[in-house]
Amino acid sequence: MPKVSMTVNGKEVSGNIDSRTLLVQFLRDTLRLTGTHVGCDTSQCGCCVVHVDGKALKSCTVLALTLEGANVTTIEGLATDGKLHPMQEAFRENHALQCGFCTPGMIMTSVDIVNRKGNKLDEQTIRHELEGNLCRCTGYHNIVKAVAAGAEAMAK
Amino acid sequence: MYQFTYHRVDSARKAANLAEKNEDAKFLAGGMTLLPTMKQRLASPSALIDLNPASEKLAGIEVKGRNVHIGAMTRHYDVANSKDVQEAIPALAELAGMIGDPAVRHRGTIGGSVANNDPAADYPSACLALNATIHTNKRKISADEFFTGLFETALEPGELITKIVFPVPSKAAYMKFPNPASRYAMVGVFVAKKGKDVRVAVTGAGSSGVFRAGKFEAALTAKFHVKALEGVSASAEGLNSDIHADAAYRAHLIGVMARRAVNKANGK
Ligand SMILES: Cc1cc2nc3c(=O)[nH]c(=O)nc-3n(C[C@H](O)[C@H](O)[C@H](O)COP(=O)(O)OP(=O)(O)OC[C@H]3O[C@@H](n4cnc5c(N)ncnc54)[C@H](O)[C@@H]3O)c2cc1C
Ligand code: FES
Ligand code: FES
């Protein structure tokens, strides 16, 4: 089986994998990082979003082999020294989750939005930028509030 | 997904050589269309030739004279945010920013989109309306000759798109009525004027893919103003009907999107 090596949450990892292995399968099944979820497996829902070389990607729609040498950050890589990332904290504070299934992808996408659009985000921008992430519980209102608050907190 | 052999290549030449040797091989660009299709077992290539390691050579945006050259592996996100494209052909940058969602735009490429020729994809309308030229490892193909039908193009098996060259128009705009669920175009109309030449391309509507709207072009060539379109409408014949919209509704949308695009191109 072909071998792949990459950096995940700051650690060098590698594995011999079937060429069909998707990034999300490599993360969940090989590395046991089960924070990244699979909601649809058809590239629609965004539950599986992780950062690859600093950009949000749907990990269910990328082959692991294609990411040889890449730098991947998953939801597990956001907190530092046992302290939640400001965006995670904002989701908790604003009650932006119910079942929590969409949350890892929502948070990874939200951090990506801040990286691209800065710390002052209006509602319209947030809703537009979250188009690739679906939530079947919250009705989105609190997610939008959380992203705005998390974005501001990230500036501090 | 069915089993396949995976090949990594770092240049267009290597990619083409491998494709020549593997009849059922497919190029892997952004994978945003190919991988979902393979998961559904609608495609089962014997081998994948991964173009991503060749991104440095196959991606990039360059303005040369009155043309914008965009490498096949250029991601939608990079076209949308390119200062050069925003200045030379703002309608093209805007179109790229309307494709799918941010994660799809980070990965999907212009070459993959054009090669795939999905009847609801956005880029084919830009290629056709702007009179682009598709460069491959073998030849140059004009957009008028390139898009030959539903998911069909003039590409031969194993032929690789290397870049797409867009002449800079004097005025252009793209208006898209997105399907609210998939965000693909239910109808998208790209209008471009270069000198006296006006081209209007419609995506999302035609049952054999992107097409030029002759009646609209004739009216707008006489006068590039929304008033010239008074009484001009699209026929429902040959348009798609599905659960999202029937042919008559799509025909109506073509008229609405074309008018909005002309107004936008005129700065209104
Ligand atoms: C959720 C979602 C929403 C989307 N929404 C839209 C939308 O609104 N509008 C839209 O236009 N598209 C949309 N897309 C499709 C997206 O734009 C794809 O990126 C694009 O259609 C294919 O590009 P790719 O780089 O991902 O190609 P791939 O999936 O890698 O390849 C597609 C096909 O092209 C071939 N190919 C790739 N590169 C080349 C090349 N250089 N030369 C020859 N053949 C090549 C491949 O072999 C394959 O057959 C969406 C996709 C998803 C998953
Ligand atoms: S699991 Fe990847 S987008 Fe839904
Ligand atoms: S909290 Fe349940 S899907 Fe979003």
Side-chain angles (χ1 to χ4, degrees):
Chain A
M1 285 198 290
K3 185 178 169 192
V4 70
S5 313
M6 59 181 91
T7 307
V8 177
N9 299 332
K11 265 199 231 131
E12 305 278 331
V13 296
S14 62
N16 292 313
I17 53 173
D18 186 306
S19 50
R20 290 172 290 190
T21 309
L22 300 164
L23 174 60
V24 71
Q25 294 168 324
F26 183 65
L27 294 172
R28 289 180 56 89
D29 303 344
T30 309
L31 303 181
R32 293 279 159 200
L33 291 170
T34 54
T36 304
H37 293 166
V38 177
C40 66
D41 201 29
T42 54
S43 328
Q44 320 274 325
C45 75
C47 285
C48 64
V49 169
V50 301
H51 295 184
V52 174
D53 297 328
K55 285 184 181 149
L57 288 191
K58 290 181 167 171
S59 63
C60 74
T61 316
V62 187
L63 291 179
L65 281 178
T66 206
L67 298 182
E68 177 64 33
N71 195 349
V72 178
T73 307
T74 70
I75 189 74
E76 289 92 344
L78 285 190
T80 38
D81 304 329
K83 214 168 151 263
L84 290 182
H85 182 279
M87 190 59 78
Q88 292 175 306
E89 189 57 44
F91 269 63
R92 194 181 73 86
E93 274 295 312
N94 288 278
H95 190 55
L97 56 143
Q98 289 176 24
C99 79
F101 199 82
C102 68
T103 314
M106 285 286 178
I107 291 178
M108 296 312 285
T109 299
S110 303
V111 173
D112 180 67
I113 300 172
V114 179
N115 291 344
R116 286 182 291 113
K117 302 258 163 188
N119 300 85
K120 278 258 169 249
L121 299 172
D122 61 32
E123 180 182 344
Q124 205 191 352
T125 306
I126 296 170
R127 286 186 185 273
H128 179 62
E129 291 288 330
L130 284 177
E131 269 180 354
N133 291 73
L134 304 179
C135 173
R136 51 96 60 234
C137 302
T138 62
Y140 300 99
H141 283 299
N142 287 351
I143 293 181
V144 175
K145 273 195 242 162
V147 177
E152 284 197 25
M154 277 172 69
K156 283 173 200 149
Chain B
M1 233 188 261
Y2 290 111
Q3 190 61 259
F4 56 84
T5 326
Y6 173 84
H7 301 278
R8 216 175 251 141
V9 290
D10 60 9
S11 73
R13 176 166 318 145
K14 284 184 197 156
N17 283 347
L18 263 176
E20 210 131 278
K21 283 186 221 133
N22 293 273
E23 221 177 275
D24 302 324
K26 270 194 179 291
F27 299 120
L28 175 68
M32 292 296 112
T33 295
L34 185 53
L35 294 174
T37 322
M38 287 171 67
K39 285 187 193 175
Q40 291 171 0
R41 297 188 168 178
L42 295 172
S44 50
S46 60
L48 284 189
I49 303 169
D50 189 352
L51 303 174
N52 287 285
S55 280
E56 252 175 58
K57 292 174 200 156
L58 280 172
I61 296 166
E62 239 185 312
V63 181
K64 286 192 196 163
R66 297 301 290 156
N67 291 302
V68 179
H69 296 231
I70 304 184
M73 285 299 290
T74 313
R75 318 276 175 187
H76 307 328
Y77 174 79
D78 295 317
V79 175
N81 289 285
S82 153
K83 288 272 173 302
D84 284 337
V85 181
Q86 285 169 356
E87 252 166 50
I89 319 179
L92 186 61
E94 277 172 33
L95 174 148
M98 288 182 214
I99 296 175
D101 58 59
V104 168
R105 293 195 287 275
H106 279 154
R107 194 73 187 163
T109 68
I110 188 168
S113 176
V114 170
N116 194 51
N117 193 17
D118 187 305
D122 297 299
Y123 271 128
S125 68
C127 293
L128 206 50
L130 293 167
N131 200 9
T133 306
I134 290 89
H135 291 227
T136 77
N137 60 324
K138 295 187 177 146
R139 55 190 168 136
K140 298 173 188 173
I141 313 169
S142 77
D144 279 320
E145 253 122 63
F146 186 84
F147 301 105
T148 53
L150 215 57
F151 295 104
E152 294 203 359
T153 67
L155 289 174
E156 284 161 12
E159 190 170 2
L160 179 80
I161 300 178
T162 50
K163 66 176 172 183
I164 299 165
V165 176
F166 294 93
V168 175
S170 30
K171 290 177 176 183
Y174 179 62
M175 278 291 162
K176 171 178 180 177
F177 190 98
N179 176 317
S182 76
R183 290 176 301 281
Y184 274 92
M186 203 121 91
V187 165
V189 177
F190 202 113
V191 173
K193 178 174 170 27
K194 187 174 167 68
K196 281 191 199 132
D197 199 19
V198 176
R199 296 166 66 107
V200 178
V202 179
T203 189
S207 49
S208 35
V210 65
F211 65 91
R212 285 173 64 187
K215 273 197 273 178
F216 288 76
E217 291 185 353
L220 291 168
T221 305
K223 190 172 163 49
F224 193 76
H225 192 277
V226 72
K227 280 194 184 135
L229 292 179
E230 256 166 46
V232 180
S233 61
S235 151
E237 207 175 305
L239 299 190
N240 271 333
S241 276
D242 54 29
I243 55 165
H244 309 297
D246 63 15
Y249 183 57
R250 280 196 164 85
H252 178 71
L253 279 181
I254 293 173
V256 176
M257 292 299 121
R259 283 168 176 77
R260 288 187 190 167
V262 172
N263 272 336
K264 180 137 200 248
N266 281 328
K268 285 182 186 156

